[in-house]
Amino acid sequence: MTLPLTTVLVLPLLAALASLLEKSVPRLAVSRPASLVAVAGAMAAAAFLSPHVFAADFPTMVVGGFPSGVGITLRLDGIALFGVGIVLTVSLSALLFSFADIRFGPLYYFFFMVMVAGMVGAILTTDIFNLFVFLEMFGIAAYILVAWSRTGHALIAGYKYLVMSSVAMAFYLVGVLLLYRVAGSFELDRIAEVVATADDRTRRLSTVAFILLAIGIGTRTAFVPYHTWLPDAHASAPHPVSAVLSGVMIKVSFLALLRLLFAASDARFGAVFLWLGAGTAVAAVVVALAQFDMKRLLAYHSISQMGYMLAALGAAAALSGKGAAAASLMHAGSHALFKSLLFLCIGMVIATSGERDLRKVVGTTAARSARLARRMPIVFACFLIGALAIAGMPPLSGYVSKKAVLYATHNVPVAYWMLQAAGVGTVASFIKLGSVFLARGSAGPSDAGDRSELTRDRYLPSPFVAVALLLLAGATLLLGVAPGRFAATVEALLAASAPTRSFAASTSASAPAISAPYTLNALAETAIVLAAGVLLTFGVRSRAGYRITALLRAPRVGLNAALVLMVAGFLVFYLVTV
Amino acid sequence: MVVLILEVALILVGLYATIVLRSLIKKVIGLGIVNSGIVILFVEFGSHTGSRAPILVEGITDVVDPVPQALMLTAIVIGIALTSLALVFAYRLHERYGTLDIGEIEHLSRAELEPPDKAHPDQGGHEEASE
């Protein structure tokens, strides 16, 4: 079982090496096939191992042949299998999408595959220092890919991302040291055991340590107030990279956070994350509603949807919601699929129209006198699936997982209503975004024509794009059609995970509201949310609405302010929990 | 105790430089100081268990804890990669905007992306081939 486990991690690295080889010997042209084979091979290896995982016989490997406890342990448990699954699926689609753009050379595929390998490693490892190494590994690849276009805003986005996450990692390392002092080990399982039986003084120390770790990982996961790097980074990256960043990269650190919370087994963290999540969901959706830059709009929605997951996770850790841990994982999974789908669809819109601004795309399509929906029907259909899923409409995965999250938080009415309100905002902003496909618009700017000529030939009309989009759209639809299967699988994966023993109460109970969400009540609720969303759309379009959203667009948090916010966030976190 | 205070002070100095100073390069220097502070913190913590180098031969006791040292080798390597990458970003940004002031660069790049009025946002025009 060691060999397939090694394969999952090493194949992407080998593909990265092959791409580097092509850089020096251009005749070889191996980077694309090698990357594709590596991701597919890693998927096959993970699928081969999955029966063992469900049987709770975890494939485990200690790097370098050291005895367990000394060497670094890589282990594929239920949560890890879930994470590897979404990382590889989304990476595969993004990779296929990348093939359509001839400008991406071997170096691009090198960094892309290093990023994939880093994410897989971060999911597999059970060692918190090794987690730091993998976080930095895919982090460095991500900083470079964010700045890939070398435009001014992409460079500053990359720099900002780098500096913020480096400061976050400094917090993280101090936390690692404190936990090493407490437990004498970096293994998360061992730490969980020690913390569970510790006396008061040690517990206080470990609480501080866990806060430091949570801030470090939380910055990478981008919840308010550590989110400020995300809209810039995700909006500036090339489209397929945006899909990976928003779809799975923030989920990787989220899964690490989930393991950490289970290890800390401290109900106070649960409450903090519940409120942090609900607040994040609402605040980010309000800002998203005000955006006209299509990729920024999607990026803010990623933050908002992270809020849903975080709220459910908080409910799980506070032991107040049945099936809450499963709900947060379900939403993580479905969001990974539909958000990357949305980024790829909008990527195609931007590539076709040459504009990122919603208002201007409407202009250019009018100038070409054909609606985008008619010119690219597959992209439009896939966008529709993604947008309906993120808005929580049946019968798509987003509906199922959002209902699960809402059910998980229904014991805490205020948080529950905050999440419902965020749902209304999501509906409204995707009506706004969807208008790019349909609107005839007024006469476009005169210079639009040559600009779009400039950008249009970058993405060749390629079957790869269609395959990538249909793969993600199909998965989104499938998870929505079979909610019982979806919920049962996620719960089985959670049950087959090492660190969730103490949370059996909040995970194992299979609630009907999660596994069979298509009830009349729930559908009526969704209809109300939809109606409210439509009303909100009109509100935002009105003159008063425009003024309010203009106010929300104006302030942009600079790097220095963001860093101050981060340190302040740590202090607040500390005061609330200790 | 004094050593611990000095280590924390070193980290705080680095954090101050990263957070407050406006120059891109000085921020990178600040990150370097933070990184060094953490390395010293780890290594010094490992030294509490003994005083001799952890080369395990017959009869040696009283060795320092080798694990934090080993980890810090990794952290130093990562720190070098991050520093060089951050400096590349700073260099490119300076090349483009002619300044190293973070506030000014943020302002300029934003003006480039969303001009105040109806002029079109410029983000495709300056793109070079990526390699």
Side-chain angles (χ1 to χ4, degrees):
Chain A
M1 275 199 309
T2 315
L3 185 66
L5 184 60
T6 322
T7 315
V8 178
L9 182 59
V10 172
L11 266 184
L13 280 178
L14 287 178
L17 270 182
S19 308
L20 213 53
L21 197 68
E22 189 193 321
K23 176 73 182 160
S24 44
V25 192
R27 262 181 318 119
L28 276 172
V30 288
S31 61
R32 290 168 204 218
S35 308
L36 195 60
V37 167
V39 173
M43 277 175 112
F48 173 74
L49 289 172
S50 59
H52 296 282
V53 176
F54 282 108
D57 168 28
F58 305 129
T60 306
M61 181 180 78
V62 183
V63 178
F66 287 101
S68 174
V70 177
I72 296 160
T73 309
L74 300 178
R75 184 178 58 205
L76 189 75
D77 62 1
I79 296 175
L81 182 63
F82 174 85
V84 168
I86 58 172
V87 165
L88 292 177
T89 311
V90 171
S91 302
L92 183 68
S93 309
L95 204 58
L96 287 171
F97 192 90
S98 307
F99 290 170
D101 190 335
I102 39 162
R103 288 175 313 149
F104 294 141
L107 264 188
Y108 170 85
Y109 292 101
F110 170 72
F111 288 118
F112 193 93
M113 294 317 288
V114 168
M115 181 170 77
V116 172
M119 289 193 290
V120 170
I123 291 168
L124 290 180
T125 188
T126 60
D127 174 304
I128 52 174
F129 186 80
N130 193 228
L131 177 62
F132 158 77
V133 175
F134 279 122
L135 280 172
E136 290 290 29
M137 176 171 155
F138 73 71
I140 290 174
Y143 311 144
I144 295 171
L145 288 173
V146 161
W148 196 253
S149 71
R150 300 197 196 169
T151 50
H153 61 95
L155 286 170
I156 189 75
Y159 183 83
K160 204 169 162 180
Y161 188 7
L162 188 154
V163 171
M164 282 196 71
S165 73
S166 298
V167 172
M169 285 299 126
F171 279 98
Y172 184 89
L173 278 180
V174 176
V176 168
L177 183 65
L178 287 180
L179 277 188
Y180 183 62
R181 200 172 144 188
V182 168
S185 169
F186 297 101
E187 292 283 324
L188 206 51
D189 297 352
R190 175 90 192 106
I191 290 168
E193 279 168 31
V194 171
V195 168
T197 55
D199 57 17
D200 264 2
R201 199 173 156 274
T202 325
R203 246 192 117 78
R204 218 170 301 136
L205 197 62
S206 68
T207 306
V208 177
F210 278 120
I211 294 173
L212 287 164
L213 295 182
I215 303 282
I217 298 180
T219 305
R220 300 296 285 267
T221 316
F223 46 81
V224 173
Y226 313 112
H227 68 285
T228 39
W229 57 269
L230 187 141
D232 292 328
H234 289 198
S236 304
H239 311 313
V241 175
S242 298
V244 173
L245 288 174
S246 246
V248 287
M249 190 173 284
I250 51 179
K251 308 299 184 314
V252 170
S253 46
F254 176 75
L255 291 179
L257 190 68
L258 183 139
R259 287 178 194 276
L260 211 63
L261 268 188
F262 285 146
S265 61
D266 190 332
R268 285 172 302 176
F269 282 126
V272 172
F273 280 114
L274 177 62
W275 291 112
L276 212 56
T280 300
V282 175
V285 91
V286 169
V287 183
L289 205 49
Q291 301 300 318
F292 281 115
D293 182 329
M294 293 187 284
K295 287 184 86 174
R296 281 188 82 85
L297 189 148
L298 286 177
Y300 273 109
H301 273 290
S302 293
I303 303 174
S304 168
Q305 301 296 315
M306 282 316 293
Y308 278 83
M309 287 164 231
L310 209 59
L313 177 61
L319 290 172
S320 67
K322 270 193 177 171
S328 77
L329 269 196
M330 282 167 77
H331 200 53
S334 65
H335 180 255
L337 296 172
F338 64 64
K339 182 48 71 66
S340 40
L341 176 63
L342 283 168
F343 261 112
L344 295 182
C345 289
I346 289 302
M348 280 312 283
V349 171
I350 294 171
T352 314
S353 65
E355 291 290 355
R356 282 169 49 157
D357 192 304
L358 214 108
R359 295 164 291 190
K360 298 213 169 84
V361 175
V362 173
T364 53
T365 46
R368 293 168 168 276
S369 73
R371 294 176 186 180
L372 275 176
R374 192 171 300 161
R375 287 178 50 209
M376 23 204 241
I378 296 181
V379 176
F380 177 59
C382 291
F383 172 82
L384 217 54
I385 289 179
L388 288 175
I390 197 173
M393 293 298 139
L396 298 162
S397 63
Y399 175 84
V400 177
S401 56
K402 260 192 188 174
K403 282 282 178 280
V405 170
L406 287 170
Y407 176 74
T409 54
H410 79 287
N411 290 340
V412 192
V414 179
Y416 174 82
W417 287 112
M418 282 166 85
L419 291 181
Q420 287 282 25
V424 173
T426 311
V427 171
S429 46
F430 279 89
I431 292 176
K432 178 174 161 184
L433 190 60
S435 68
V436 297
F437 284 97
L438 295 173
R440 282 175 200 277
S442 52
S446 55
D447 59 340
D450 49 50
R451 274 178 53 74
S452 49
E453 288 308 324
L454 193 91
T455 32
R456 203 163 45 135
D457 54 2
R458 285 187 187 157
Y459 281 89
L460 304 168
S462 144
F464 288 125
V465 172
V467 172
L469 294 181
L470 290 175
L471 180 71
L472 292 169
T476 304
L477 194 63
L478 211 65
L479 292 182
V481 175
R485 227 12 220 295
F486 182 21
T489 310
V490 168
E491 266 163 23
L493 285 171
L494 259 177
S497 300
T500 49
R501 269 162 282 146
S502 54
F503 286 83
S506 73
T507 58
S508 63
S510 168
I514 293 179
S515 54
Y518 294 113
T519 59
L520 211 55
N521 259 346
L523 287 170
E525 204 180 79
T526 307
I528 295 172
V529 169
L530 179 62
V534 173
L535 276 182
L536 185 60
T537 313
F538 285 119
V540 171
R541 287 215 179 140
S542 70
R543 187 163 291 177
Y546 190 84
R547 265 196 221 121
I548 294 170
T549 55
L551 279 181
L552 284 171
R553 264 193 308 280
R556 198 64 72 81
V557 183
L559 178 56
N560 283 9
L563 288 167
V564 171
L565 216 60
M566 200 159 124
V567 176
F570 166 69
L571 294 176
V572 172
F573 208 135
Y574 178 80
L575 291 176
V576 171
T577 31
V578 177
Chain B
M1 196 64 198
V2 179
V3 177
L4 184 67
I5 290 171
L6 285 177
E7 286 158 355
V8 172
L10 188 60
I11 294 177
L12 288 180
V13 166
L15 270 183
Y16 172 84
T18 313
I19 294 175
V20 179
L21 299 183
R22 297 175 68 86
S23 156
L24 296 182
I25 302 276
K26 285 180 185 165
K27 278 182 185 299
V28 179
I29 295 173
L31 280 180
I33 296 173
V34 173
N35 202 31
S36 308
I38 286 172
V39 169
I40 296 171
L41 194 69
F42 266 76
V43 172
E44 191 263 334
F45 172 75
S47 74
H48 288 252
T49 56
S51 54
R52 286 204 237 169
I55 303 164
L56 295 181
V57 287
E58 207 52 44
I60 278 256
T61 50
D62 186 35
V63 294
V64 303
D65 184 352
V67 176
Q69 295 186 2
L71 299 188
M72 283 309 108
L73 284 180
T74 317
I76 289 168
V77 172
I78 292 173
I80 288 170
L82 283 173
T83 307
S84 54
L85 183 59
L87 288 176
V88 169
F89 282 144
Y91 170 72
R92 293 262 177 201
L93 282 167
H94 183 265
E95 206 175 45
R96 183 165 203 92
Y97 295 111
T99 171
L100 281 172
D101 184 300
I102 179 81
E104 219 168 296
I105 288 175
E106 276 172 342
H107 183 75
L108 287 172
S109 80
R110 198 180 167 191
E112 208 175 53
L113 194 62
E114 335 166 343
D117 226 15
K118 289 211 166 174
H120 67 263
D122 186 6
Q123 30 99 15
H126 291 304
E127 278 185 34
E128 308 149 29
S130 36
E131 277 164 61

